[in-house]
Amino acid sequence: MWSASGRAADFAERHGATEVSDLVRAVADADLVVTCRGTGPAVLDVATVTAALDARPAGADLVVVDLALNRDVEPAVGELPGVRLVDLATVREHVPPTTAAEVERARELVDRGVERLAADLAGRAVDQAVVALRRRVEAAVAEEIERLPADGALPVEDAARALRRLAARLLHTPTVHARSAAREGRAVEHVRALEQVLGVSVPEHR
């Protein structure tokens, strides 16, 4: 393992490899070199590989595999005698051609995933409103519970009265806003909103 950043030692230890400090010597001793940095300038340039070739036994070929999206090996290295350079372009040339149907299927999967994500994100836009509504209802319920007898004995009439009082509290604000909207000429808009929120069907007023 060799790294310009100095991280080769830790990586080599964790993967049972050996760190090298002299890159030219390491390339000279290798039959296969794999690069996958993908950052910064090419680490294997013509000068480095030429120096490594000069230190190799005569007739010993060197295979260099560049797996980086941004080249780690200068393309001209592949033109040096005794060097075979395999990069991502080479790999792509030898992969069987993808059929149009497979490409279309992949696009459909991506489009469907994007649609699901967009729908999920759109649904989360009302999360705070839902939380606020739940807190309001829970607070009203808690206050009504506080009014109930501490001993747990509750006549049917008292229970019915508590439930009606709770219902009135929950409906008070929507009712006030509905009448206000009607006075402002927004009755139809407000009724449609109530139908969506409460799941009710309001007959048209004639």
Side-chain angles (χ1 to χ4, degrees):
M1 301 296 305
W2 181 88
S3 171
S5 65
R7 294 180 296 177
D10 179 62
F11 188 91
E13 181 178 353
R14 287 186 288 110
H15 292 80
T18 302
E19 179 194 14
V20 295
S21 56
D22 187 340
L23 180 60
V24 172
R25 184 70 257 171
V27 174
D29 294 338
D31 296 318
L32 171 66
V33 177
V34 179
T35 69
C36 55
R37 292 170 67 248
T39 58
V43 65
L44 287 182
D45 53 21
V46 172
T48 300
V49 177
T50 298
L53 292 174
D54 290 341
R56 291 172 68 82
D61 292 338
L62 174 66
V63 178
V64 179
V65 180
D66 186 356
L67 298 179
L69 290 175
N70 298 319
R71 293 180 180 274
D72 281 340
V73 184
E74 287 185 348
V77 168
E79 302 174 5
L80 296 175
V83 176
R84 181 184 178 187
L85 175 59
V86 178
D87 56 15
L88 292 180
T90 308
V91 174
R92 185 167 55 248
E93 291 173 1
H94 290 80
V95 172
T98 305
T99 66
E102 290 172 334
V103 172
E104 185 60 28
R105 172 63 176 161
R107 287 175 176 167
E108 289 176 359
L109 292 174
V110 172
D111 290 343
R112 212 165 348 184
V114 171
E115 290 175 0
R116 283 197 298 266
L117 176 60
D120 182 58
L121 293 177
R124 293 180 183 179
V126 297
D127 281 357
Q128 293 303 316
V130 172
V131 170
L133 179 60
R134 287 182 177 275
R135 286 176 177 171
R136 182 183 180 89
V137 172
E138 289 171 359
V141 171
E143 289 183 14
E144 290 301 325
I145 291 176
E146 286 294 326
R147 296 184 178 187
L148 299 179
D151 59 4
L154 183 64
V156 174
E157 294 80 2
D158 291 345
R161 188 179 305 109
L163 291 174
R164 283 194 293 269
R165 189 166 51 236
L166 176 60
R169 290 187 59 184
L170 295 178
L171 293 174
H172 174 72
T173 299
T175 301
V176 171
H177 288 175
R179 297 191 183 282
S180 176
R183 287 192 294 269
E184 296 170 2
R186 298 183 292 106
V188 174
E189 171 189 346
H190 199 81
V191 167
R192 296 290 85 82
L194 288 176
E195 288 179 332
Q196 290 291 324
V197 172
L198 302 178
V200 298
S201 179
V202 181
E204 293 186 9
H205 178 70
R206 298 184 183 277

